[in-house]
């Protein structure tokens, strides 16, 4: 049935209203495409970026605290907070200047408000709320893990639903992304995250003293050293072999690695804090066990999705993202599982896997397009250090108790 002209007009106006954000009228770039400023401060990176609605990055700025935290032997929340405080204004200013965009041209500001370090989240949120009030712009609160999960859609068309494995310094989880704000959580870490484990192993090995590793994060250092290591010289048991779900655990692995390091220190007569001769082999064995654990849990998640029709039968997709996803060995392990189960594996380039303002701005764009979670500037928003992602399906996954057929994960270093 043809639409009545008046009805069509009303619909047109409604759509126009949805697409017009309050605040000053747009001009320049903003006239053809809505612009979003994204701000990230959930952990140890102060990031900001301006994106247009098509996902084009107009300008970005990132201040990493990695060097400071490497020197202090881990993230000290008060130090992270102070560094965010010192840098946020400059980082946002830089992103705007590099984009050649005036705040008045923005359609919204998107900021990470959960999950993350309370003191770090607080700085980004406080800055953003002041900014949106000053410039009378809508505010879009962002879930950090949702942003990691959806970044891939900025780079190429990836239709919902897809399976996503997010692995970083703060998280590891498996989820089905069904929409911009619609996720099914299949598994998460029961203790620490893989990036945290790699960082702690690197610290225990004193890799900061290694000439090739002094400026690298723990995960980067382990990956680099593992290239020249023999992983078969140490055997670490892959965690949770007798638990048939998709959750993760890395604390036990860290304990196994620490025991091996202590044994070697005793053998070589070395004090804790000095470099062992076998760091490459320990790095290779640790990296392999992390990769194997991630691959096995992901394999089970794929089988669960297939058994429950959670993924499309035509070109189902596995997305791998988060800081640890920049690891090529882990990517290779996941690609073997994806190939064996008929999924295509997509990984954003390393620069978009680690924390940045771009992924937050993109999440803002996705929400703006769908009109989801957009708040007027005067609404008070609280940050949430702990915030689960999506609907918790972990009990269903556990109840299904899917056994895996073995897939040979043979990867050259
Ligand atoms: O996503 P991200 O930037 O920050 C959050 O934790 O949210 O991830 C940082 C983590 C760190 O633990 C770092 O050691 C790890 O990602 N990482 C890596 C690699 N690059 C960074 N882990 C393994 N291999 C890498 N190449
Ligand atoms: Zn992250």
């Amino acid at each position: 049935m043809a639409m009545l002209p008046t009805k069509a007009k009303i619909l047109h106006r409604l759509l126009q209203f949805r697409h017009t954000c309050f605040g000053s009228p747009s001009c320049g770039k903003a006239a053809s495409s809505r612009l979003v400023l994204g701000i990230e401060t959930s952990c140890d990176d102060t990031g900001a970026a301006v994106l247009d609605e098509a996902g084009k990055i107009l300008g970005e700025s990132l201040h990493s605290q990695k060097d400071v935290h490497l020197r202090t032997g881990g993230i000290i929340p008060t130090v992270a907070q102070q560094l965010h405080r010192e840098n946020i204004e400059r980082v946002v200013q830089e992103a705007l200047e590099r984009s050649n965009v005036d705040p008045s041209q923005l359609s919204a500001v998107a900021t990470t408000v959960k999950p993350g370090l309370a003191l770090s989240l607080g700085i980004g949120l406080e800055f953003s709320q002041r900014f949106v009030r000053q410039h009378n712009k809508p505010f879009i609160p962002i879930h950090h893990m949702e942003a990691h999960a959806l970044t891939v859609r900025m780079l190429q068309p990836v239709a919902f639903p897809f399976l996503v494995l997010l692995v970083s310094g703060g998280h590891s989880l498996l989820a089905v992304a069904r929409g911009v704000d619609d996720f099914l959580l299949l598994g998460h870490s029961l203790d620490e995250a893989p990036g945290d484990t790699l960082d702690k192993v690197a610290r225990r090995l004193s890799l900061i003293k290694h000439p090739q590793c002094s400026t690298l994060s723990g995960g980067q250092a382990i990956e680099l050293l593992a290239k020249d290591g023999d992983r078969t010289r140490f055997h670490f048991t892959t965690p949770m072999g007798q638990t048939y779900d998709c959750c993760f655990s890395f604390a036990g692995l860290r304990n196994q690695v620490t025991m091996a390091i202590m044994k070697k220190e005793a053998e070589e007569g070395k004090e804790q804090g000095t470099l062992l001769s076998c760091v490459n082999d320990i790095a290779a064995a640790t990296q392999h066990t992390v990769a194997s654990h991630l691959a096995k849990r992901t394999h089970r998640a794929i089988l669960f999705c297939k058994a429950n029709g959670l993924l499309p039968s035509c070109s189902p997709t596995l997305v791998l993202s988060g800081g640890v996803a920049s690891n090529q060995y882990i990517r290779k392990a996941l690609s073997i599982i994806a190939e064996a189960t008929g999924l295509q594996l997509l990984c954003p380039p390393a620069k978009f896997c680690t924390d940045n303002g771009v992924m937050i701005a993109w999440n803002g764009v996705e929400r703006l397009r769908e009109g989801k979670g957009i708040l007027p500037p005067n609404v008070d928003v609280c940050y949430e250090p702990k915030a689960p992602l999506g609907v918790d399906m972990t009990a269903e996954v556990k109840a299904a108790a899917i056994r895996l057929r073995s897939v040979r994960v043979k990867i050259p270093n």
Side-chain angles (χ1 to χ4, degrees):
M1 195 178 75
M3 204 184 274
L4 295 171
T6 43
K7 221 174 174 181
K9 260 192 219 155
I10 293 168
L11 189 61
H12 181 68
R13 273 204 210 113
L14 269 174
L15 282 173
Q16 268 188 330
F17 177 75
R18 232 184 101 177
H19 285 264
T20 311
C21 293
F22 38 85
S24 45
S26 308
C27 62
K29 291 190 191 85
S32 54
S33 176
R34 293 179 295 172
L35 307 178
V36 175
L37 166 66
I39 299 177
E40 158 65 29
T41 67
S42 68
C43 188
D44 59 347
D45 291 297
T46 317
V50 179
L51 260 64
D52 73 9
E53 215 171 344
K56 184 170 171 219
I57 303 165
L58 303 181
E60 59 177 307
S61 177
L62 186 67
H63 175 264
S64 168
Q65 307 177 356
K66 192 182 76 190
D67 291 348
V68 175
H69 299 312
L70 268 176
R71 269 181 273 123
T72 53
I75 300 173
I76 301 170
T78 47
V79 174
Q81 180 189 43
Q82 181 57 21
L83 290 170
H84 283 306
R85 194 178 277 131
E86 285 168 15
N87 289 289
I88 188 151
E89 182 132 20
R90 176 185 59 79
V91 164
V92 170
Q93 198 57 38
E94 258 173 27
L96 287 166
E97 276 168 18
R98 288 173 185 166
S99 339
N100 210 8
V101 164
D102 185 79
S104 64
Q105 293 172 272
L106 295 170
S107 292
V109 176
T111 302
T112 309
V113 301
K114 60 185 172 183
L117 295 174
L119 295 180
S120 296
L121 288 167
I123 298 294
L125 180 57
E126 194 188 302
F127 177 91
S128 303
Q129 295 234 284
R130 226 181 316 116
F131 187 95
V132 294
R133 281 166 197 173
Q134 184 186 346
H135 299 288
N136 193 28
K137 296 292 171 186
F139 182 56
I140 309 179
I142 301 293
H143 190 299
H144 183 82
M145 302 315 287
E146 272 184 31
H148 271 307
L150 301 189
T151 310
V152 68
R153 284 165 49 87
M154 178 187 81
L155 304 163
Q156 62 199 105
V158 185
F160 294 118
F162 56 87
L163 180 64
V164 59
L165 170 64
L166 298 177
V167 274
S168 70
H171 301 271
S172 61
L173 62 85
L174 274 159
V176 181
R178 301 197 301 180
V180 170
D181 61 353
D182 182 5
F183 290 80
L184 301 177
L185 183 67
L186 305 184
H188 56 85
S189 180
L190 302 177
D191 39 57
E192 57 196 47
D196 191 21
T197 308
L198 295 174
D199 291 340
K200 285 174 174 153
V201 167
R203 272 207 297 281
R204 183 64 184 79
L205 286 169
S206 304
L207 296 188
I208 196 160
K209 293 184 181 162
H210 194 288
Q212 286 177 284
C213 302
S214 61
T215 60
L216 301 182
S217 69
Q220 288 170 322
I222 298 272
E223 178 171 24
L224 182 74
L225 294 182
K227 288 193 171 95
D228 295 320
D230 175 0
R231 67 174 175 78
T232 61
R233 287 201 42 214
F234 291 88
H235 179 76
F236 303 131
T237 312
T238 304
M240 299 179 81
Q242 302 305 312
T243 314
Y244 303 107
D245 64 11
C246 294
C247 284
F248 305 91
S249 167
F250 294 94
L253 169 62
R254 182 155 62 83
N255 196 35
Q256 290 183 65
V257 180
T258 307
M259 304 289 274
I261 295 171
M262 284 164 69
K263 190 160 170 263
K264 275 285 155 196
E265 281 169 349
E267 273 172 33
E268 293 187 13
K270 284 196 171 148
E271 296 274 303
Q272 179 172 338
T274 43
L275 279 172
L276 287 169
S277 62
C278 56
V279 281
N280 296 76
D281 301 334
I282 294 183
T286 306
Q287 176 178 261
H288 176 77
T289 313
V290 169
S292 162
H293 185 37
L294 294 174
K296 285 182 174 161
R297 308 326 265 187
T298 307
H299 188 181
R300 181 170 290 112
I302 292 170
L303 298 183
F304 181 83
C305 287
K306 286 190 171 184
N308 292 280
L310 296 177
L311 293 176
S313 45
C314 178
S315 59
T317 300
L318 167 65
V319 170
L320 172 61
S321 196
V324 177
S326 18
N327 184 294
Q328 295 302 323
Y329 190 92
I330 290 172
R331 284 186 183 205
K332 184 71 190 150
L334 269 298
S335 77
I336 290 169
I337 296 300
E339 203 185 318
T341 50
L343 268 70
Q344 64 160 341
L345 174 69
L346 300 177
C347 309
K351 140 180 208 310
F352 295 118
C353 280
T354 44
D355 291 351
N356 59 78
V358 173
M359 69 183 206
I360 306 304
W362 172 250
N363 206 288
V365 167
E366 292 242 41
R367 286 182 165 273
L368 197 63
R369 279 180 184 170
E370 297 215 355
K372 284 183 170 156
I374 305 163
L375 305 175
N378 55 341
V379 171
D380 282 327
V381 176
C382 296
Y383 58 78
E384 295 169 52
K386 287 204 187 321
L389 178 75
V391 178
D392 190 349
M393 299 281 291
T394 52
E396 284 82 350
V397 175
K398 192 169 192 154
I402 295 170
R403 309 291 165 115
L404 302 176
R405 72 181 165 82
S406 97
V407 173
R408 200 165 151 69
V409 180
K410 191 166 187 315
I411 310 163
N413 281 0

